[in-house]
Amino acid sequence: MPSREPPLNAVRVFVAAGRQLSFTRAAAELHVTHGAVSRQIRSLEKFLGVALFERRIRQVALTAEGQQFYAEVEPALAQINAAARALARPAAGRAAVRINVRPSFALRWLIPRLPDFVERYPDIEPQVVTSTRPPGQEAEGFDVAVRRGLEGWHPAMQVHPFLEDEVLVVGAPALFAMQPLEDVRGLASHVLLSAKTRKSDWDDWRRHFGAPRARPAGRLQFDHLHFVMQAAVDGLGLALAPASLLAHDLESKRLQAGLPEMRMPLTRYYYGLAPGASPEARCVTEWFEEMRRAQRRAGSVD
C-alpha cells in the first residue's frame, strides 16, 4: 500500500459510484461526465492496486475489496461533510436541521421522501447525517435522530414511536419467473443473501414461522443491508429485507415479494429530539408524525 495519501476527489467519486452502483447515476449526482467518473475510479484503483468494481453490461458491482473500502470510507466522508456543514452557515433565510439516521434508512426511506419535506418547508434546510452508532453515543451534534428500538438513546432526549416494520422475502421478478417460490420448501432452490450486520436473519425468520431448515442452493454475504438489497435487485438471490426500506423497489417492480403472507415483525422505529430542539426541528417531527399516521391509515407497513 502506498504511503502517500489517496486522491481524495477520486475517493469522493468512488463513494458516489458505490452508493449508486452506477457510474452514470454517480456522474449525474456529482454534475460531471460519465467519462470523468470512470477516469477517477481507474486512478483510484491504480493507486490502491486492486479492482474496486466489476464492470458489467449497463451496470457495475463492487468487488469484495470495493465493498470493504466503501464500508470504511463512506462513514469517514460523511463525517467530514457533517463537520463542514456544522461549521458552515446555512443559506440566508434558511434554518438547517440535522437529521441523524442509519445509512440504509437514509438511502431507502428518508432521501426518496425528502422532496415532499422540502416542498412543504422551503425555508428549512434538511441535512442528512448517517451513522451506525446509537444516538446516545454520537459525538457529533444533531437535531433529530431515527433508530430502531428504545436502547441507546440519551436520557435527555424526547423519544417517540415512529414506524412499525416487518421483514419479508424479496427477489427480482426475473428470478421468480425462472425459479418460482411457491412455499418455504422452495427456498432450497435459491441463493440466500445476507448482511454481516444481520447474520441471523434467515434463522430468526425460519424459527418465527416454524419453517424446516434446509440447505439452500448457495449463500452470499455482504457488508451492509443496502448491498444485500441491491444484490437482490440484480437477481443474485433472495433477501430478507425490512418493508420500511422496500416501498420504492416494490412500487417500481425492481423487487417482488416472495411468500408475501410470511412477514416477521421487527422492532419499530423511534425518532428522538435533541434537548432544546428548535422550532424547525419540530417541523421534521411533525412531518414524521404525518408519515406515521399515513402508515396506520394504510393498514400495512410502508
Side-chain angles (χ1 to χ4, degrees):
M1 174 66 65
S3 58
R4 57 194 177 90
E5 295 181 356
L8 292 183
N9 191 50
V11 172
R12 174 172 169 264
V13 171
F14 163 75
V15 168
R19 179 170 56 248
Q20 299 282 0
L21 289 178
S22 165
F23 288 4
T24 300
R25 291 196 294 269
E29 176 185 324
L30 299 171
H31 305 290
V32 297
T33 65
H34 181 284
V37 170
S38 184
R39 286 192 295 274
Q40 290 285 356
I41 298 298
R42 283 199 303 271
S43 72
L44 184 59
E45 289 177 324
K46 183 178 179 181
F47 177 88
L48 297 172
V50 296
L52 298 172
F53 287 95
E54 294 177 11
R55 276 73 167 177
R56 303 174 180 173
I57 299 174
R58 297 182 182 176
Q59 65 180 13
V60 294
L62 287 164
T63 62
E65 293 82 3
Q67 289 182 37
Q68 180 182 355
F69 192 56
Y70 182 88
E72 295 291 337
V73 301
E74 191 277 337
L77 193 60
Q79 186 174 2
I80 293 171
N81 291 337
R85 286 195 299 268
L87 290 176
R89 294 186 178 182
R94 299 185 72 200
V97 176
R98 293 160 296 176
I99 308 171
N100 184 299
V101 295
R102 291 180 66 91
S104 295
F105 190 85
L107 287 169
R108 298 282 180 165
W109 193 93
L110 180 57
I111 291 174
R113 290 167 172 80
L114 272 184
D116 175 70
F117 178 85
V118 172
E119 183 178 353
R120 294 185 190 205
Y121 302 98
D123 294 332
I124 299 176
E125 178 186 325
Q127 298 180 349
V128 180
V129 180
T130 61
S131 172
T132 58
R133 292 189 294 268
Q137 296 178 10
E138 278 293 339
E140 206 177 304
F142 60 85
D143 302 295
V144 183
V146 177
R147 291 291 190 280
R148 286 194 192 277
L150 289 170
E151 294 183 3
W153 294 92
H154 193 281
M157 294 186 69
Q158 304 173 40
V159 181
H160 305 270
F162 189 22
L163 300 175
E164 296 180 10
D165 207 358
E166 54 196 6
V167 70
L168 61 155
V169 179
V170 292
L175 181 62
F176 286 129
M178 290 188 299
Q179 187 70 49
L181 182 62
E182 311 225 341
D183 54 38
V184 176
R185 290 171 296 179
L187 291 174
S189 302
H190 286 274
V191 174
L192 303 186
L193 310 174
S194 62
K196 289 182 181 178
T197 53
R198 304 179 65 95
K199 292 180 181 179
S200 66
D201 274 5
W202 282 105
D203 289 336
D204 293 343
W205 183 87
R206 288 181 189 277
R207 278 194 296 270
H208 180 79
F209 291 105
R213 192 182 176 112
R215 183 184 297 275
R219 291 184 181 272
L220 286 175
Q221 189 176 87
F222 299 85
D223 283 336
H224 297 288
L225 179 59
H226 44 273
F227 295 143
V228 172
M229 295 175 69
Q230 185 60 48
V233 168
D234 291 337
L236 292 177
L238 301 183
L240 277 174
S244 61
L245 309 183
L246 286 169
H248 288 276
D249 289 308
L250 294 175
E251 288 169 8
S252 65
K253 303 195 185 307
R254 281 157 43 99
L255 288 174
Q256 174 183 329
L259 308 173
E261 301 304 316
M262 300 180 72
R263 296 171 173 240
M264 182 178 74
L266 288 173
T267 303
R268 77 180 302 160
Y269 285 103
Y270 290 78
Y271 68 80
L273 271 170
S278 67
E280 290 79 16
R282 294 186 182 277
C283 289
V284 174
T285 62
E286 288 172 11
W287 183 63
F288 282 168
E289 282 296 320
E290 288 189 30
M291 297 291 176
R292 185 176 69 86
R293 288 193 292 268
Q295 182 195 71
R296 295 185 67 180
R297 285 195 300 269
S300 62
V301 176
D302 184 14

